[in-house]
Amino acid sequence: MQDSNPVELEILPPHEILDTFENINVAAPMVRFSKLPFRELVSLYDVQVTHTPMILATEFSRSSTARTLDFSTSLTERGSFLLNERTRSSLSNASDNDLLEGDRPAGSRRRQRRVRGSLIAQFAASDPKPFADACELIYPYVDGVDLNCGCPQSWAFQEHIGSWLLGHPERVRDLVRAAKDRLGFSYPVSVKIRVDPDLQRTHQLVETALHAGVSHITVHGRTKNQKSSHPVSLSSIAFAVEVARGRVPVVANGDAWSLPEVETIRKTTGAQGVMSARGLLGNPALFSGYDETPPSAIKEFVRLSTDYGLMFPLFHRHIGFMLESRFNKLERLYWNTLPSYASVLDYLTEQGIDLDL
């Protein structure tokens, strides 16, 4: 759980959090769903790095209406965490999972530090100037920006954004450099990619991103043509980790549905962080070890949604995802008929969920 004591709170960029501390958990950028109430909710359950939904950079840079609809934040959404430093050793290429406790060198005892969580804004872009413009508008309110290079939807490919960029590493380079030139080289700019069936193409894309100056890389372990039902290739993520090793942290993405699966992903890939998307939608407390969404998380999401004014269709779908494992067929059909906040709150109360707000 996040630590609420503000004493000696450190504010670090996301790549330093990933590189410095063990067991870093990341909430994925999800279209529509990674809004402020959900980001703040998962920060209460051991998620140290969160993302906005994927935002279209051109519209965000041109329209104040788009900016209002696409982004909001608060002083409390990031949370704070008591984290364990990674153990450094003379075996520079060995991960913590490779070392037994007795093998750690003298004086390498882990040190705990209190750190504020990080918020990253993710953009979809193809033109460097609108991307840089959007980054300049949002950077005072976030801890880093991310370039989406993996959205597999056909409309995105046709617009030369998302997974289209996987086949155009030179455009990725130009986009990253445009943001760096605008914001300063030290400002964190990351990329989120998918693996390629030809891992040499993955190698080329990772190397190009590194040379452009990215701060970290997130790797989804499916190709752009594989459905979400296709198993994630952890070995392909591990390949990307090896390419980037020692230069920037890597976050592994895909099939993180439970804490045991998260630990398998960490151990198998050697990544510095693990990202979850659909797993967190169904269970925002999965990184805290819960098998299903606890009633306390549902209650907290109700409070956050009403406080921040989350539109009802999103509120309804979020709660539906959280209750999915409890529904039978008739209950699911009934749930889908609920028309308002009040009807949802009545339903939750009838299910024995304490909503004394």
Side-chain angles (χ1 to χ4, degrees):
M1 301 290 284
Q2 70 162 258
D3 178 66
S4 61
N5 189 338
V7 178
E8 298 179 0
L9 182 67
E10 297 184 61
I11 299 176
L12 301 175
H15 61 283
E16 287 192 24
I17 292 176
L18 288 162
D19 196 43
T20 305
F21 302 102
E22 297 178 332
N23 301 326
I24 298 301
N25 306 314
V26 184
M30 293 176 281
V31 175
R32 294 184 299 278
F33 294 115
S34 301
K35 298 285 191 178
L36 171 58
F38 186 72
R39 296 196 305 264
E40 186 160 339
L41 175 67
V42 297
S43 78
L44 299 171
Y45 293 95
D46 292 302
V47 173
Q48 295 88 15
V49 180
T50 59
H51 289 77
T52 68
M54 184 185 76
I55 300 169
L56 298 177
T58 297
E59 283 70 15
F60 190 87
S61 65
R62 291 176 177 173
S63 168
S64 60
T65 300
R67 291 193 287 275
T68 299
L69 291 173
D70 287 339
F71 179 70
S72 60
T73 186
S74 75
L75 294 175
T76 59
E77 74 157 288
R78 291 168 175 84
S80 65
F81 305 86
L82 197 61
L83 301 176
N84 291 318
E85 285 187 346
R86 294 183 184 277
T87 300
R88 305 299 182 185
S89 79
S90 57
L91 302 174
S92 59
N93 289 326
S95 71
D96 285 346
N97 293 319
D98 297 326
L99 296 174
L100 298 175
E101 191 64 37
D103 295 331
R104 301 186 189 279
S108 67
R109 186 184 304 275
R110 292 180 178 88
R111 184 164 72 95
Q112 289 188 324
R113 293 157 61 183
R114 187 171 295 111
V115 178
R116 190 185 74 171
S118 273
L119 170 62
I120 299 172
Q122 190 193 66
F123 288 108
S126 183
D127 187 336
K129 185 180 184 304
F131 179 53
D133 290 343
C135 292
E136 186 175 16
L137 286 165
I138 208 169
Y139 92 95
Y141 310 103
V142 298
D143 304 299
V145 294
D146 184 79
L147 176 64
N148 183 304
C149 304
C151 179
Q153 297 183 36
S154 58
W155 68 267
F157 194 89
Q158 291 167 5
E159 293 291 328
H160 291 184
I161 61 176
S163 62
W164 182 86
L165 293 170
L166 295 173
H168 298 83
E170 73 288 346
R171 186 69 62 88
V172 174
R173 175 201 63 207
D174 293 345
L175 287 158
V176 171
R177 286 181 176 173
K180 289 282 190 177
D181 289 344
R182 187 72 62 86
L183 302 178
F185 195 81
S186 64
Y187 191 80
V189 179
S190 55
V191 295
K192 185 174 187 289
I193 69 172
R194 285 175 175 259
V195 297
D196 194 276
D198 179 357
L199 286 179
Q200 288 309 306
R201 297 187 67 170
T202 299
H203 187 286
Q204 180 188 9
L205 181 58
V206 170
E207 287 288 355
T208 300
L210 290 170
H211 291 154
V214 295
S215 54
H216 74 271
I217 300 172
T218 298
V219 182
H220 186 104
R222 296 184 182 91
T223 71
K224 65 183 180 183
N225 296 318
Q226 290 175 333
K227 296 182 181 297
S228 59
S229 57
H230 193 282
V232 160
S233 173
L234 296 184
S235 61
S236 296
I237 298 176
F239 174 84
V241 171
E242 186 62 32
V243 173
R245 183 178 291 275
R247 290 181 281 180
V248 301
V250 174
V251 175
N253 177 216
D255 285 355
W257 296 95
S258 68
L259 196 57
E261 287 171 316
V262 168
E263 294 310 315
T264 296
I265 293 168
R266 288 194 209 281
K267 183 175 182 179
T268 304
T269 66
Q272 286 78 17
V274 174
M275 174 183 285
S276 178
R278 292 176 297 149
L280 278 176
L281 280 180
N283 178 10
L286 80 84
F287 284 117
S288 289
Y290 289 89
D291 294 329
E292 62 180 16
T293 305
S296 60
I298 296 174
K299 176 180 178 179
E300 185 63 19
F301 186 71
V302 170
R303 183 189 70 78
L304 291 167
S305 297
T306 53
D307 285 353
Y308 289 130
L310 184 67
M311 63 179 66
F312 174 72
L314 278 179
F315 170 75
H316 182 253
R317 292 197 68 184
H318 268 296
I319 298 291
F321 285 132
M322 296 179 202
L323 295 175
E324 183 70 27
S325 63
R326 299 174 171 87
F327 285 150
N328 59 38
K329 184 176 181 180
L330 289 177
E331 287 171 334
R332 186 178 296 106
L333 289 172
Y334 176 70
W335 172 262
N336 290 337
T337 69
L338 298 180
S340 65
Y341 261 92
S343 61
V344 168
L345 300 187
D346 287 344
Y347 176 87
L348 294 174
T349 300
E350 292 168 3
Q351 300 303 307
I353 297 175
D354 176 20
L355 296 177
D356 183 11
L357 303 174

